[in-house]
Amino acid sequence: MLRYVLRRLPSAVIVLLLATIPVFAVLRLAPGDPAATVAGPDAGPEVIASVRHDMGLDRSLTAQYFSWLGDALQGDFATSFVSKAPVSDLVMRGLGNTGTLTLCALLLAVLIAFPLGLAQALARTGRLRSLLSGLNVVMLSVPPYVTGVVLVLIFSVGLRLLPPGGYVSVFDDPVAGFQFLLLPAICLALPAAAVLARFLTASLQRVFQEEHYFASRMRGLSAKRLVLRHGLPNAVGPVVTVLGIQIGHLLGGAVIVESIFAWAGLGQTLVTAASARDYPLVQALLLLAVTVFIALQLLSDVVYAVIDPRVRERT
Amino acid sequence: MSELTEDVHLPAAAAAPERKRATGLGDLLRTPAIGGSAGVLALLLLAALIVPPLLPYGPNELASATALDPPSWSHPLGTDELGRDLLARLLAGIRVSLLVIVAAVPLALLAGGLLGLFSSAGRWTDTPTQRLFDVVLAFPALIMGIAFAALLGAGLTAVIVTVAVAAAPMIGRVLRGAVRSQSARDYVLAAKVTGVRPWRLYVRHILPNCFDVVLVQTSLACATAVFIEGGLSFLGLGVRPPDSSLGGLLSSSLTFLTSSPFYAIGPLVVISALVLCFTLLADALNRKLAAR
């Protein structure tokens, strides 16, 4: 097992290191002189020169990259151009909210995907099958900003059941917190659920063709036992690997969902930072997104190998 | 010698158009999923191209003295918070999405296609290209778009660059796979043996047979283009007011959802229809072309 992890690790680290280069380049490619931005509009040339020296901008690009990377590894991302607060503090402030939202969405996605995927794989009649696959395509392709507005129209404006947006901590007031969380989480979960269901269906259909499955069927097992004990366990592996990739997409979708539902998380921080051209903050959030994405992909591959010993042997 | 080669590989080249005729364009369009989604797309795009000059109001003109008028005969979709005609703004929004598709998708095809070909050339070119694709795909498309908007400033350029960069790796990966699977076939070997030059081998033999998968990816790239344009404009980082865009319309409708729900209907229907039809088209083409 350890050997499998060690074999997968280098390529993940290489991709992550390569991904830090464009992230670093954000500040260098940005129009305008960062030193002048930090020094402020009234600063004279000597002040700007001293700020440039303090920021290390007079050193070579390679030296700057490595010192930036070293600081980043320690969680130090300099200070925000706009609020002058340490970037790491600003990131920590929104991390919990985005984390809660993403985790709830992930849970919901899995809860929706399993019944949907099973139903799609088992659907015999043409009409039910095309209905389910139509539902799947709609969930998959309709963007979260459309789903979000539709959900608000139905549940907040029409039925007046749930608040249209805002944030209350689940720990302060569980009922209200849950109400505020529900719509954004559904909105974020639907596309991920559709992808997971798609992979589960394909994977199940493959298992249904295998000889061991046919043998179990010939032994006269009940349909329920057959699917739940012999079909599903053999089919979840590929779904787990997709799960890792889907979390990455959830992070992207979270930006939109947070904006629709006024959810005070990292997505809002990123949009504000981009509009204000607060590059250190944008850099830190980009790096966070990429790191989480690559780490989760690695994690899901490892989980797949834990579930399915054949994967460990193969590679 | 050259005459001989022409003769020998003729059967392989001649077989392809014949098979294509069996599932030609008309045949594809008669498939309900393909014909239906292509029809809806054509209708929306034609409406966006033809109707605006016929309307009495431009998208940025004040068309009504009162704001947020509900739908009426003079304003079929109502008016917005400044009294501008929502139908004119909606059609202008479709035009913007169309512009993004026309500008970004060919860029993505070019970049992805060249990288995919480069990647399929051999082991030494494959690994670096695949790592490059890994790195690009490690950034969620919308987050990458926000970074481009921070760098280039909010606007259409950032949207177009994002779509091109996000779609290119997908096209590259698929093309690489297709070229590799074609290269392993007998007809390629036969062509090589008869002395067809590498350039001609790719352009006349291998690439025409990869057309199907690229067509499917093109349709998906169009869906991505609409998705990213809508998302960035929704966040206020794409097309900027007063200009209209589908995402921008949707995000301004959000403020008036309780009092004027009609505001949101147009952009909701059009964005869903565009993304859904491009995805369905890709799905159906994929199934149909894989079957042949």
Side-chain angles (χ1 to χ4, degrees):
Chain A
M1 193 61 240
L2 186 67
R3 203 187 295 161
Y4 177 79
V5 177
L6 287 178
R7 213 163 21 208
R8 279 292 282 105
L9 199 59
S11 74
V13 172
I14 289 171
V15 171
L16 183 57
L17 275 178
L18 288 174
T20 59
I21 297 172
V23 175
F24 168 74
V26 165
L27 188 64
R28 306 303 317 166
L29 291 173
D33 182 357
T37 316
V38 171
D42 303 325
E46 311 84 48
V47 182
I48 293 178
S50 85
V51 169
R52 180 173 295 129
H53 182 74
D54 290 343
M55 290 173 76
L57 294 174
D58 47 0
R59 287 181 293 160
S60 77
L61 269 185
T62 2
Q64 285 184 48
Y65 169 71
F66 283 109
S67 87
W68 173 80
L69 192 64
D71 287 348
L73 283 175
Q74 297 164 39
D76 177 9
F77 288 96
T79 53
S80 154
F81 282 176
V82 176
S83 70
K84 308 292 178 200
V87 164
S88 43
D89 289 2
L90 296 174
V91 172
M92 291 312 284
R93 212 175 289 163
L95 195 61
N97 286 354
T98 301
T100 317
L101 179 62
T102 320
L103 276 180
C104 287
L106 189 68
L107 196 69
L108 260 177
V110 172
L111 287 178
I112 299 170
F114 269 85
L116 185 63
L118 262 176
Q120 258 183 290
L122 294 174
R124 291 266 169 73
T125 53
R127 199 173 296 166
L128 182 61
R129 179 173 278 186
S130 24
L131 184 76
L132 287 173
S133 77
L135 178 69
N136 194 306
V137 174
V138 171
M139 281 166 59
L140 181 78
S141 54
V142 172
Y145 40 90
V146 171
T147 335
V149 175
V150 172
L151 286 174
V152 172
L153 267 177
I154 296 175
F155 291 101
S156 308
V157 178
L159 302 174
R160 293 166 197 276
L161 282 177
L162 294 166
Y167 172 75
V168 171
S169 167
V170 188
F171 302 106
D172 295 346
D173 182 349
V175 178
F178 181 71
Q179 284 177 339
F180 277 102
L181 185 60
L182 196 57
L183 285 188
I186 293 177
C187 178
L188 194 54
L190 286 180
V195 178
L196 292 178
R198 229 172 215 220
F199 271 83
L200 185 63
T201 306
S203 178
L204 271 171
Q205 280 167 343
R206 223 171 8 247
V207 173
F208 289 167
Q209 308 286 326
E210 281 174 18
E211 279 176 2
H212 72 84
Y213 193 79
F214 186 68
S216 312
R217 227 169 106 191
M218 289 300 104
R219 268 161 56 209
L221 295 183
S222 71
K224 191 175 149 196
R225 194 181 162 80
L226 195 60
V227 173
L228 294 183
R229 294 294 302 276
H230 295 263
L232 212 50
N234 281 308
V236 286
V239 182
V240 172
T241 51
V242 187
L243 198 63
I245 300 173
Q246 281 311 304
I247 303 176
H249 291 291
L250 285 180
L251 291 176
V255 178
I256 296 274
V257 172
E258 286 179 7
S259 155
I260 301 174
F261 294 97
W263 187 266
L266 288 181
Q268 300 261 51
T269 314
L270 179 60
V271 174
T272 323
S275 321
R277 303 203 155 190
D278 190 350
Y279 298 113
L281 192 49
V282 173
Q283 273 185 319
L285 290 168
L286 270 180
L287 194 62
L288 183 70
V290 170
T291 313
V292 170
F293 184 64
I294 293 173
L296 286 172
Q297 241 177 319
L298 180 67
L299 185 69
S300 56
D301 281 356
V302 170
V303 172
Y304 185 14
V306 170
I307 297 175
D308 194 337
R310 287 172 295 182
V311 177
R312 290 196 297 256
E313 304 298 320
R314 212 183 301 148
T315 35
Chain B
M1 181 65 206
S2 80
E3 256 181 41
L4 185 70
T5 39
E6 291 294 328
D7 269 337
V8 170
H9 68 70
L10 201 65
E18 228 177 64
R19 223 185 312 145
K20 237 175 211 152
R21 225 173 292 136
T23 43
L25 190 63
D27 200 55
L28 284 180
L29 287 178
R30 267 191 294 278
T31 317
I34 299 178
S37 35
V40 173
L41 287 173
L43 199 71
L44 283 172
L45 302 182
L46 278 178
L49 290 178
I50 296 169
V51 178
L54 307 175
L55 289 176
Y57 316 104
N60 295 341
E61 265 173 60
L62 299 189
S64 163
T66 47
L68 294 168
D69 297 338
S72 63
W73 283 111
S74 48
H75 304 291
L77 294 180
T79 60
D80 74 354
E81 69 274 24
L82 297 176
R84 292 172 296 194
D85 184 51
L86 277 175
L87 179 63
R89 288 186 72 69
L90 186 69
L91 293 170
I94 303 179
R95 281 184 166 197
V96 169
S97 293
L98 189 58
L99 178 68
V100 172
I101 289 177
V102 169
V105 174
L107 269 179
L109 279 172
L110 188 70
L114 287 178
L115 284 171
L117 275 181
F118 180 68
S119 174
S120 67
R123 253 187 80 195
W124 289 108
T125 56
D126 194 26
T127 316
T129 324
Q130 292 305 316
R131 287 294 156 274
L132 177 68
F133 289 161
D134 280 341
V135 170
V136 176
L137 291 173
F139 293 90
L142 270 173
I143 293 186
M144 189 161 69
I146 295 170
F148 277 125
L151 277 180
L152 305 168
L156 264 185
T157 323
V159 176
I160 291 168
V161 171
T162 308
V163 174
V165 174
M170 318 269 198
I171 296 165
R173 283 246 157 106
V174 167
L175 185 68
R176 163 187 175 266
V179 168
R180 287 192 146 196
S181 88
Q182 292 295 331
S183 303
R185 300 210 178 172
D186 287 344
Y187 78 89
V188 174
L189 186 66
K192 271 187 192 161
V193 168
T194 52
V196 175
R197 286 171 200 281
W199 173 256
R200 195 181 160 81
L201 183 68
Y202 271 93
V203 174
R204 291 297 303 272
H205 296 266
I206 296 181
L207 287 182
N209 282 312
C210 299
F211 178 73
D212 293 357
V213 289
V214 174
L215 190 67
V216 172
Q217 286 302 314
T218 307
S219 187
L220 283 180
C222 292
T224 311
V226 176
F227 175 86
I228 290 176
E229 189 281 313
L232 285 180
S233 299
F234 185 90
L235 293 172
L237 296 170
V239 176
R240 279 196 286 187
D243 287 333
S244 175
S245 67
L246 295 175
L249 279 175
L250 197 58
S251 100
S252 14
S253 80
L254 205 52
T255 323
F256 309 103
L257 221 46
T258 320
S259 56
S260 322
F262 63 85
Y263 196 158
I265 302 296
L268 279 181
V269 171
V270 171
I271 297 176
S272 314
L274 284 175
V275 181
L276 207 57
C277 286
F278 278 124
T279 314
L280 279 174
L281 190 64
D283 249 26
L285 278 174
N286 196 16
R287 237 174 295 137
K288 189 83 183 169
L289 297 172
R292 95 175 177 198

